[in-house]
Amino acid sequence: MDIQKIIDKLANSKEVGIISHLSPDGDALGSQLALALGLEKMGIKTILINKDFVPENLSFLPSSQSIKPLESFTNIPEVLVFVDCATMERTGYDTDDINTNKIFTINIDHHISNSNFARYNLVKNQAAATAEIIYDLLSLLQIKMDKNIATSLYTGLSTDTGSFMYDNVTPTTHKVAADLIKYGADTSKVRVNFYENMSRNKVELLKQGLSNLNFSVDGRIAWIAYDLKSFEELNLSSTDADGMISYVKNISEVEVAMVFKEVQTNLYKVSMRSKSWFDVNELASLFDGGGHVRAAGCTIKGEINENIKKIVESCQQIMMRGGF
Ligand code: 5GP
Ligand code: MN
Ligand code: MN
């Protein structure tokens, strides 16, 4: 693990870029912003890069308005930190966009499928969230925690653990969360803005999804699908369907829940979650995706019913191997 090298490299940089993944979630943004706020305290200039916009329910995060796509910067710093990205491509940019010959890359992440793609890599798949790793890093850099940093990191921890409910939670997760609350993390801001902030149109989207719920293997596999039209009609984007998967997973019999979302014509983003034993990272990997054992995803081209058939059949096969 390159932690000491990363500390030295960051401490000796004047300017650092921080980038995260497409459709950024609470951990992506929380980690990115906390690292930036921390480095700024050391007098290091930071720029924040994401291809996709910050979703409305995370726009309360301090400094989130400073995140911009790569195209808006004429120069990017020599040091670029990737947070919460299993691969470089998860940023939505490739090695042509990010000139890796010139740029010094650092990869900080917790995905089991992480490919250690950077010059320096700090990948801990036992961490519940990248935010947990950033917390450690900021402590080692001797950066004084404050309310904004704590709120950003707490958001990452809370959202990647389903409010501290998932199997990825360890004693360390709770210890870090306790420290963050001590440093002033605004937990009610996180709750009200992220969890208690469903627009009526989103409720409508959820109703549509649940009215077309599908099951297989005696209800052990369940899925819903959204086409582009369902988002357009409600003036929503595909990220607005992000939380829907828990409603599918919450059903008693369900072990594997999936949500198929059309993000461009005939291009589907698939979210996968499992409840107790199924490895969704294995399933997603069959379709060039990845993630974690209990939460993974992939992107697949083609006609929706064929895509569903392919993925559900693979899911059934893995399930049969597990004895069902
Ligand atoms: P979500 O379903 O919330 O978009 O993603 C769940 C998890 O799977 C996240 O940890 C995310 O990083 C990972 N994931 C989602 N989509 C992809 C993908 O297309 N490729 C890879 N490698 N990981 C993904
Ligand atoms: Mn993420
Ligand atoms: Mn994460």
Side-chain angles (χ1 to χ4, degrees):
M1 212 70 83
D2 296 329
I3 188 152
Q4 193 53 50
K5 290 187 201 157
I6 292 174
I7 288 168
D8 295 342
K9 186 74 191 171
L10 291 175
N12 289 306
S13 298
K14 283 201 174 61
E15 201 183 0
V16 170
I18 309 170
I19 189 165
S20 194
H21 60 74
L22 291 170
S23 314
D25 53 26
D27 189 31
L29 296 167
S31 298
Q32 221 177 352
L33 293 164
L35 181 58
L37 293 168
L39 293 179
E40 295 274 347
K41 282 194 165 191
M42 297 174 67
I44 299 166
K45 253 190 91 198
T46 59
I47 69 158
L48 294 164
I49 311 163
N50 274 347
K51 185 150 189 167
D52 287 340
F53 62 87
V54 175
E56 199 273 325
N57 59 359
L58 287 166
S59 61
F60 72 93
L61 283 169
S63 303
S64 63
Q65 68 290 348
S66 59
I67 303 177
K68 307 231 156 53
L70 191 62
E71 301 75 58
S72 16
F73 298 100
T74 38
N75 278 310
I76 63 166
E78 187 231 342
V79 177
L80 184 60
V81 185
F82 294 73
V83 294
D84 205 40
C85 294
T87 60
M88 188 175 288
E89 289 68 35
R90 284 287 289 146
T91 59
Y93 301 108
D94 58 26
T95 43
D96 288 336
D97 304 315
I98 300 162
N99 186 345
T100 40
N101 292 327
K102 268 179 62 189
I103 302 283
F104 195 102
T105 54
I106 296 176
N107 162 23
I108 304 176
D109 186 38
H110 67 130
H111 290 92
I112 198 164
S113 56
N114 192 291
S115 61
N116 288 307
F117 56 86
R119 278 279 282 280
Y120 290 166
N121 300 283
L122 176 56
V123 180
K124 288 188 170 179
N125 51 46
Q126 68 278 23
T130 299
E132 211 176 284
I133 311 172
I134 300 287
Y135 175 78
D136 252 359
L137 189 68
L138 294 183
S139 314
L140 291 167
L141 281 162
Q142 296 177 332
I143 289 164
K144 202 164 173 291
M145 282 282 153
D146 62 24
K147 192 178 181 74
N148 284 344
I149 298 179
T151 302
S152 301
L153 291 176
Y154 187 88
T155 301
L157 279 188
S158 171
T159 55
D160 257 26
T161 58
S163 305
F164 304 94
M165 275 201 306
Y166 298 157
D167 288 349
N168 57 355
V169 173
T170 64
T172 308
T173 320
H174 281 292
K175 275 190 203 129
V176 173
D179 284 353
L180 294 174
I181 294 173
K182 197 173 70 194
Y183 291 123
D186 194 339
T187 57
S188 65
K189 198 170 186 181
V190 179
R191 191 189 75 248
V192 171
N193 284 281
F194 189 81
Y195 297 100
E196 299 175 341
N197 192 16
M198 200 170 185
S199 69
R200 291 196 198 181
N201 277 9
K202 268 203 195 178
V203 177
E204 216 34 68
L205 191 72
L206 175 64
K207 275 164 68 181
Q208 274 186 26
L210 292 180
S211 67
N212 288 305
L213 189 58
N214 299 274
F215 293 102
S216 174
V217 197
D218 294 332
R220 288 192 181 91
I221 308 173
W223 68 92
I224 55 180
Y226 292 110
D227 57 14
L228 276 179
K229 205 164 65 117
S230 17
F231 298 118
E232 281 161 11
E233 281 173 0
L234 291 166
N235 199 18
L236 294 174
S237 76
S238 60
T239 53
D240 290 308
D242 273 359
M244 311 293 172
I245 198 156
S246 16
Y247 294 89
V248 182
K249 198 187 68 169
N250 287 352
I251 301 164
S252 319
E253 296 82 4
V254 172
E255 172 58 27
V256 179
M258 292 189 275
V259 174
F260 295 80
K261 300 180 290 186
E262 192 174 21
V263 289
Q264 281 169 33
T265 308
N266 280 336
L267 184 72
Y268 286 81
K269 164 104 185 57
V270 191
S271 286
M272 303 168 177
R273 301 288 184 274
S274 62
K275 195 181 275 168
S276 331
W277 62 270
F278 189 98
D279 182 354
V280 282
N281 176 55
E282 182 186 353
L283 178 61
S285 310
L286 297 175
F287 300 92
D288 288 328
H292 315 276
V293 178
R294 297 277 170 268
C298 66
T299 306
I300 182 164
K301 281 191 191 130
E303 197 275 322
I304 181 61
N305 291 315
E306 280 170 29
N307 286 340
I308 292 177
K309 190 162 176 282
K310 267 192 246 170
I311 294 183
V312 170
E313 277 177 7
S314 300
C315 184
Q316 287 166 346
Q317 278 163 13
I318 299 176
M319 207 167 248
M320 299 304 166
R321 246 185 28 215
F324 292 95

